[in-house]
C-alpha cells in the first residue's frame, strides 16, 4: 500500500467524523497532516507505510514538538488510522 493511500484514507475518515485534515507544507520534518476534530481535538499526524522510516529531520522535529507538549502520531496503515480515530 502506498503512503498516499493511507493519507487519503485518513482524510476520508476524519471528514466522516466532522473534522478536517490539512496538509502541512513548507517546513521539512513537520508532520504530514494537521487534523482538526470536533470538540477542539487537534492531532499532528505523520503518515508512513510498512517499510518506511522517519527521517532524521522528522525525528528531530517530532522530539522538539514533544518537548513543547505537542504529541505527534505516526500511522503506518489504514488500521492504525482507524485506531487513532477511535
Amino acid at each position: 500500500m502506498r503512503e498516499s493511500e493511507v493519507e487519503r484514507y485518513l482524510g476520508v475518515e476524519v471528514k466522516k467524523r466532522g473534522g478536517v485534515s490539512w496538509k502541512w507544507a513548507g517546513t521539512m520534518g513537520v508532520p504530514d497532516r494537521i487534523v482538526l476534530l470536533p470538540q477542539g481535538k487537534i492531532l499532528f499526524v505523520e503518515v508512513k507505510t510498512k517499510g518506511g522510516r522517519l527521517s532524521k529531520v522528522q525525528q528531530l522535529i517530532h522530539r522538539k514538538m514533544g518537548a513543547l507538549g505537542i504529541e505527534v502520531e505516526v500511522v503506518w496503515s489504514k488500521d492504525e488510522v482507524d485506531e487513532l480515530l477511535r
Side-chain angles (χ1 to χ4, degrees):
M1 178 172 308
R2 299 173 68 179
E3 209 170 279
S4 60
E5 292 175 65
V6 177
E7 196 166 354
R8 189 170 20 260
Y9 181 76
L10 173 67
V12 168
E13 292 303 309
V14 165
K15 189 173 184 178
K16 284 182 187 176
R17 290 161 175 80
V20 295
S21 173
W22 290 335
K23 182 80 170 169
W24 186 303
T27 304
M28 283 185 55
V30 174
D32 295 314
R33 293 283 172 165
I34 302 169
V35 174
L36 308 175
L37 294 166
Q39 300 178 336
K41 182 71 175 171
I42 301 170
L43 304 171
F44 292 86
V45 183
E46 182 68 47
V47 179
K48 294 291 181 187
T49 54
K50 301 293 181 193
R53 65 176 186 81
L54 294 173
S55 70
K56 289 187 184 293
V57 172
Q58 288 171 321
Q59 291 173 37
L60 174 67
I61 294 296
H62 294 187
R63 279 195 306 272
K64 284 183 177 183
M65 291 176 75
L68 293 169
I70 300 166
E71 190 172 334
V72 177
E73 302 289 343
V74 180
V75 294
W76 301 85
S77 66
K78 290 179 179 180
D79 288 339
E80 288 190 11
V81 168
D82 292 338
E83 187 177 318
L84 174 65
L85 296 176
R86 262 190 221 111

